[in-house]
Amino acid sequence: MTEPAASSVPEPTPPPEPSPSGRGPLRAWAAVTAVSLGIFCLITSELLPVGLLTPVGADLGVSDGTAGLMVTVPGLVAGFCAPLVTVGAARLDRRHVLCALIALMAAANLAAAFAPDFTVLLAARLLVGVSVGGFWAVAGGLAVRLVPGHHAGRATALIFGGVPTASVLGVPAGTLLGELGGWRTAFGAVGVLGALTTAALLLLLPALPPSGPVTFRELPVLLRRNRAVRAGVVVTFLVVTGQFAAYTFVRPILRDVSGVDSGLVSTLLLGYGLAGVAGNFLAGPRDARRTLLTVSATLTAVLALIAVVPGAAAGTALLLVWGLVYGGVSVSLQRWMLHAAPRAAEAASSLMVAMFNFAIAAGALAGGLAVDGVSVPAAPLTGAALMLAAAVTVAVTSRSAAGAERMDGAERTPGLTKRSRTERVRSRATE
């Protein structure tokens, strides 16, 4: 009996896997892009003063070190607000929370654009900190709720691509606007962009009801009991503090050490940011621990060299390497925390975001003290020392984690061997 001939009609192509939100793939990725745009706006807003320290200080009558408080203040506030917003908004739809935070950021930047003195400007920057801490903590784990699970890694990289892209477009564009139309124009433009982003989030995000309650009690318990989370928080502090001790004062560094003309700073920051975007997507699929070890070790050398090696060519080359390597930090830290606590992703993210922003504030403060108390090159040297401490911490914790895995394996193997021997003895006795 012959088998029936195979049908020449091709089998229908299965429909694409729906996103967890129940939307089609285009709408799902549009929502991811809107969240990435929100991260872009927030990081641009937070780091905008980096390229405007000198004009703001000159206009409002404060030193470069004091002007650095424009980065320190929102960093501190964001650090406190990351867990506060996560817990306080635990019962609210995440879509509404994200839209409200972006709208607050837009209003704060518009207020900063019209600030009559430095005190009012700092008050507006405080509101930026509320937005940054809350939005980042909530958005960090949204990828798995917007796209199918097998796309979650790519979606997370896209969301956090807003961080280096802010360096590519946001900070350089703000610096350029500050040079062409004054620093108030730059703050006003970010405020308008924030308003447009609020509209995009309202249109593109689906309803995102809370996935589970997060309590204040859960956060210290997670930090105390989960060694990997604890190590991730320490590494976050060291790497980010080292970064912003130097990067907050990148303009004076390029001017005083490298001898770069002030008119070229915005162009160089653009190159820094482009390198950072490349670094973000290069680091996305790689092992988080190995990536962070490479990042911290490389930046130890780069920051030490940019502090002491003169010349515009050397300064430009070191700045580009700096951008490429640091570009992988945000996504690697997020992946570290999600891997360390997959069942408490939002709580772990809030701890990382809190420390990330405290570290931005600490770095800006440490760099400002170094600049005002010693000299401009002292800022990147401070950053290099912290990066070295981060490299040592990652190496030690990675070795400890590997040792723990080997011990777990050794404990399991004897148990299996003993059990198998017992079974053989019983089998022989039965025979």
Side-chain angles (χ1 to χ4, degrees), residues 215-237:
T215 64
F216 284 115
R217 181 181 299 179
E218 180 181 353
L219 300 178
V221 169
L222 180 64
L223 192 61
R224 185 174 65 253
R225 294 183 179 177
N226 191 315
R227 182 168 55 185
V229 168
R230 191 164 59 248
V233 170
V234 172
V235 171
T236 298
F237 173 77

Side-chain angles (χ1 to χ4, degrees), residues 45 60 103-128 183-192:
S45 178
L60 299 181
L104 178 63
M105 182 275 295
N109 278 282
L110 292 174
F114 294 97
D117 54 43
F118 192 69
T119 301
V120 174
L121 180 56
L122 276 185
R125 298 293 296 167
L126 182 149
L127 297 179
V128 170
W183 63 268
R184 296 180 186 276
T185 302
F187 280 106
V190 174
V192 172

